Amino acid sequence: MSTPTTPIVEHYVGGKTYSGEGTETLPIENPATAQVIGELRLGTLADLDKVVEVATEAAAVWGDYSIAKRTAVLFAFRKLLVENTDALAQIISAEHGKTFDDAKGEIARGLEVVDFACSAPTLLKGEFSDQASTGIDVHSIRQPLGVVAGITPFNFPVMVPLWMCPTAIVAGNAFVLKPSEKVPSAGNFLADLWTQAGLPDGVFSVLHGGRDIVTGILDHPGISAVSFVGSTAVAKIIQERGTLAGKRVQALGGAKNHAIVMPDADMDMVADNLAAAAFGAAGERCMSISVAIAVGDAADRLVTKVVEAGKKVSVNVGIAPGADMGPVITKESKERIERLITTGEKDGAKVALDGRGYTVPGYEEGYFVGPTVLENVPLASAAYAEEIFGPVIEIIRVETLQEAIDLVNANPYGNGTAIFTKNGAAARTFQRKINVGMVGVNVPVPVPVAYHSFGGWKDSLFGDLHMYGPDGIRFYTRGKVITTRWPDEKGVATRASFNFEAR
Ligand code: NAD
């Protein structure tokens, strides 16, 4: 139960906090303590109308700002984000549970997209063809869409909004953020930084809510595009409903990322990397490694070393010095993860390291799950088929690289994958034949830098354009081609033709 002094997190509209009409609230929990640390006010469809009205007016003004002025706001925002990193990381750690250092890391990754968006003068440059036809020039420009929305998941309260809004905003749009109800405060903090940076009121808004607000966003005629990051089931709904309403949609979904380990790989290096990639952020990253496919005789050495690495992980409350990973997000999430480990065990897997029933002294009520290693999970088990989204790695044995590639390609998800090997030919075959959007060679979590776009294949992304980078610019702008003739004082020499003629 919350106390009467629990702070209320409200919406952010028109450059300030906005209470709106909603009376319903949800508790905000600290997953390390299971304590309620705030209340979230949920918006209504009337609040959504208000947000879109304010954003529409703001977009008309902001879209006419010079690129130089827009870029100046981005630089000011960047400076404020750096100065406020610790404060923002504390908010992330308290609501999400990840370690303070990892929270700072996610802000740094988001900052890279801000850096990228600061190149707007180059990114938004059009193209020009002189004398495309006799006396005729052609040029193409990219213009903003108007009001765009971002719907974000719990696992990156700052980084994922920053995958979207810097590019959307610098391109001249107004941006409406609908954060996850589980981690709502960081969105408001970002909104305040945008205002301090000199962004005109209404260009960045935050509207809190659940499924009804998401549906309202998808159906709203005043919103031109929707960027979504979350689970696959919801991503599919977003894509279908949003495109039906005539919107541009990019919807990034879940993952089950496999790493292939060749027998020639340096097993110490592999185990160290896999432990960080599987257990970091308690496995609640869409690019976490959840399955290691050991080829040939790699398996026994790999299991021993990953178990050793898993035992060394310091599981603690996120702000504890030296903590490697914190709790998972909710009680339901902890129960689900433990249930899936048990399912895997019942289906025939060996639990080589068991994180069930894990407690941290002083935080006995927290939603902790310890690092877990499952050996030989049957492919038919729900423990293999489902995205566990917890600190669990499954180690599977195959005989050849081809079998390993086939296994990855048979998986419905296609977000990230990696190979560990010293053999360049094996790595090249892997990178060419694997049906996955983001591929690492001896890099376990191959999240692209901000000037390359981020996105998976298959059930990990619905839509054509990936997020941030060059695809981000394309997504948040619309192309226009202008064909121009300026008759000189003699006028146009020939009579207009009724036919298509050679230019
Ligand atoms: P989620 O799908 O439950 O929620 C995401 C957003 O959708 C939230 O804002 C939530 O309020 C809203 N939402 C939830 N259910 C809805 C419904 N039925 N209808 C409409 N809106 C709904 O995801 P989550 O649990 O917050 O985040 C974890 C998931 O996100 C994992 O599957 C993870 O792999 C995925 N993820 C993917 C990427 C990627 O880049 N592909 C990145 C981060 C997270």
Side-chain angles (χ1 to χ4, degrees):
M1 284 297 292
S2 61
T3 65
T5 52
T6 307
I8 293 200
V9 176
E10 305 196 305
H11 319 291
Y12 194 98
V13 182
K16 52 184 182 299
T17 300
Y18 173 73
S19 301
E21 295 189 354
T23 49
E24 216 184 313
T25 62
L26 275 182
I28 306 165
E29 266 188 321
N30 179 332
T33 60
Q35 294 290 309
V36 173
I37 53 172
E39 292 286 325
L40 175 68
R41 190 185 300 285
L42 301 179
T44 64
L45 292 178
D47 294 330
L48 176 63
D49 283 339
K50 165 81 178 167
V51 171
V52 176
E53 186 191 320
V54 170
T56 305
E57 278 174 27
V61 176
W62 176 243
D64 265 350
Y65 265 49
S66 69
I67 293 180
K69 285 186 179 150
R70 282 187 242 152
T71 308
V73 171
L74 261 287
F75 273 104
F77 177 73
R78 183 195 190 284
K79 184 166 178 285
L80 287 162
L81 197 56
V82 172
E83 288 167 1
N84 287 278
T85 292
D86 283 8
L88 195 48
Q90 266 158 15
I91 292 174
I92 297 173
S93 187
E95 291 185 359
H96 175 282
K98 67 176 71 176
T99 68
F100 182 63
D101 284 346
D102 194 31
K104 287 203 287 188
E106 92 157 81
I107 297 168
R109 285 294 171 93
L111 193 69
E112 290 178 10
V113 183
V114 182
D115 289 344
F116 170 77
C118 284
S119 334
T122 307
L123 298 169
L124 295 171
K125 245 183 357 187
E127 294 179 319
F128 189 88
S129 299
D130 172 62
Q131 192 75 338
S133 183
T134 307
I136 289 183
D137 305 325
V138 178
H139 69 284
S140 56
I141 58 172
R142 298 204 69 91
Q143 292 188 303
L145 304 176
V147 180
V148 300
I151 300 162
T152 53
F154 80 82
N155 64 329
F156 287 109
V158 167
M159 185 182 80
V160 170
L162 290 180
W163 281 359
M164 305 167 180
C165 65
T167 316
I169 287 174
V170 88
N173 301 285
F175 186 87
V176 179
L177 175 66
K178 205 302 282 173
S180 162
E181 309 90 300
K182 296 174 186 127
V183 291
S185 303
N188 289 41
F189 197 101
L190 289 178
D192 206 40
L193 295 188
W194 279 116
T195 301
Q196 287 179 48
L199 189 72
D201 293 347
V203 178
F204 184 90
S205 315
V206 182
L207 183 65
H208 295 288
R211 187 191 295 206
D212 56 334
I213 293 296
V214 171
T215 307
I217 288 172
L218 296 172
D219 293 347
H220 204 294
I223 296 176
S224 302
V226 175
S227 299
F228 171 88
V229 177
S231 58
T232 288
V234 182
K236 269 185 187 158
I237 297 170
I238 302 287
Q239 159 79 359
E240 284 165 14
R241 190 152 185 157
T243 49
L244 201 63
K247 292 183 196 345
R248 191 176 283 192
V249 178
Q250 52 180 183
L252 277 59
K256 187 92 182 182
N257 304 313
H258 294 56
I260 297 177
V261 182
M262 300 299 285
D264 67 349
D266 173 342
M267 282 311 151
D268 288 320
M269 178 265 209
V270 173
D272 191 41
N273 275 270
L274 287 185
F279 309 137
E284 291 174 327
R285 292 181 181 136
C286 65
M287 291 291 277
S288 288
I289 293 290
S290 338
V291 182
I293 311 176
V295 176
D297 68 1
D300 292 340
R301 287 175 291 147
L302 186 66
V303 172
T304 308
K305 286 185 185 292
V306 172
V307 168
E308 270 170 30
K311 284 181 181 163
K312 288 188 198 139
V313 174
S314 164
V315 183
N316 210 333
V317 57
I319 48 166
D324 292 317
M325 62 174 257
V328 298
I329 187 73
T330 56
K331 185 165 183 276
E332 295 71 39
S333 182
K334 175 180 160 76
E335 287 169 358
R336 179 179 170 274
I337 294 163
E338 294 188 338
R339 198 168 53 243
L340 279 166
I341 297 169
T342 304
T343 302
E345 187 178 29
K346 281 191 186 146
D347 290 343
K350 180 177 165 202
V351 186
L353 181 64
D354 193 350
R356 288 171 291 187
Y358 201 99
T359 51
V360 172
Y363 295 93
E364 285 78 7
E365 301 301 313
Y367 309 133
F368 293 95
V369 180
T372 299
V373 180
L374 287 182
E375 208 184 332
N376 298 336
V377 186
L379 301 185
S381 173
Y384 177 75
E386 289 187 26
E387 178 185 38
I388 297 181
F389 223 53
V392 181
I393 187 162
E394 300 170 344
I395 300 180
I396 287 175
R397 292 168 152 81
V398 298
E399 287 309 314
T400 64
L401 173 61
Q402 189 57 51
E403 274 180 77
I405 290 174
D406 290 345
L407 199 55
V408 178
N409 286 348
N411 198 272
Y413 297 107
N415 215 38
T417 187
I419 190 169
F420 288 94
T421 183
K422 290 183 185 137
N423 180 333
R428 187 166 185 275
T429 300
F430 165 76
Q431 73 193 38
R432 294 193 68 247
K433 298 295 177 194
I434 212 78
N435 294 335
V436 172
M438 293 172 283
V439 177
V441 175
N442 297 312
V443 173
V445 184
V447 173
V449 290
Y451 37 99
H452 290 262
S453 300
F454 179 109
W457 287 13
K458 301 190 280 184
D459 282 0
S460 295
L461 188 145
F462 302 91
D464 298 322
L465 293 171
H466 292 194
M467 212 158 271
Y468 67 72
D471 272 11
I473 293 287
R474 285 181 206 112
F475 185 78
Y476 292 122
T477 57
R478 204 177 343 232
K480 186 181 272 181
V481 182
I482 300 152
T483 303
T484 309
R485 171 163 60 194
W486 291 108
D488 61 20
E489 57 284 357
K490 289 178 259 158
V492 179
T494 54
R495 185 172 165 257
S497 171
F498 279 54
N499 307 316
F500 280 140
E501 300 218 326
R503 298 191 202 258

